[in-house]
Amino acid sequence: MNKKEIAKRIQIVSLRMVREKPSLLYPQRAIRKPEDAAELFRQFIEDCDRECFCVLCLNTKNEPTALHQVSCGTLNSSLVHPRETFKLAILANSAAIIAGHNHPSGVPEPSPQDIELNNRLVHCGQILGVELLDHIIIGDGSFVSLKERGLM
C-alpha cells in the first residue's frame, strides 16, 4: 500500500455564532426573577402549536445576551439533549442559562420527563461551568418555575 491509500483526510473547520434578525429589546437589562425570564420566553414561544425548547444565555450580571430555540417537537414532546442545549451557551461565553419551553396544552405543570431533563441539564451545567439557573414552563397566560417549585 502506498501512503495515499492509508492516509485519512481531516477537515479543517471553524465555528461561529450567527446573530439572526430581528433581535428583541429588553429594557429591564437583567433577569431578576422568574417572571422576567417567563416574559421573554412568552414573546418567543407562547403561540407555538408544538412544544419548543429554548435557552436564554446570561452574562455574569444576569443580563440576557442570546435566546436560542434548541428544539421544536410535537404536540406534547420535544427532543432535547444537553449537547445542543449548552452549545450556544458555550459559543456565547455565557455564565449561566435559563431553560424554557411551552406546553401547547396551555397547562404548564411539569411532567416527569421535564423534571428528568432538568436534572440532566443541572448536572451537565455543573460539569461545563455554565449554571442552569431555572427552567420555565409556559402555558396559557401562566408559567411554572422549577426553581420556585424546589425542583432544581
Side-chain angles (χ1 to χ4, degrees):
M1 274 192 223
N2 66 34
K3 286 188 178 185
K4 284 193 176 190
E5 291 176 337
I6 60 171
K8 169 73 173 122
R9 182 166 298 279
I10 300 171
Q11 297 296 316
I12 298 172
V13 298
S14 65
L15 206 56
R16 67 183 76 175
M17 186 173 66
V18 176
R19 289 177 175 85
E20 302 208 9
K21 303 280 183 195
S23 59
L24 295 173
L25 288 176
Y26 190 63
Q28 292 88 339
R29 301 277 311 158
I31 301 292
R32 292 187 170 78
K33 56 190 185 275
E35 291 86 358
D36 295 343
E39 185 53 39
L40 268 174
F41 286 124
R42 190 172 280 118
Q43 291 178 49
F44 198 60
I45 60 173
E46 181 178 45
D47 295 331
C48 293
D49 63 346
R50 292 170 285 163
E51 193 166 298
C52 295
F53 184 90
C54 301
V55 292
L56 180 63
C57 296
L58 305 169
N59 65 17
T60 57
K61 297 176 183 176
N62 282 353
E63 295 171 337
T65 58
L67 181 60
H68 174 62
Q69 182 175 313
V70 175
S71 175
C72 187
T74 65
L75 180 63
N76 61 356
S77 70
S78 183
L79 182 61
V80 179
H81 192 278
R83 174 182 52 239
E84 286 79 23
T85 302
F86 285 97
K87 184 187 297 184
L88 178 72
I90 292 167
L91 285 173
N93 293 321
S94 301
I97 63 170
I98 298 174
H101 76 275
N102 65 323
H103 279 181
S105 68
V107 181
E109 283 303 310
S111 69
Q113 294 83 8
D114 292 337
I115 294 167
E116 180 183 334
L117 171 63
N118 186 72
N119 293 339
R120 278 184 80 197
L121 294 177
V122 167
H123 179 70
C124 291
Q126 289 168 343
I127 292 168
L128 293 170
V130 180
E131 185 180 3
L132 176 63
L133 297 179
D134 203 345
H135 184 155
I136 305 291
I137 303 172
I138 303 293
D140 287 339
S142 63
F143 75 94
V144 168
S145 159
L146 295 189
K147 184 171 188 170
E148 286 184 337
R149 289 267 178 106
L151 299 171
M152 299 281 303

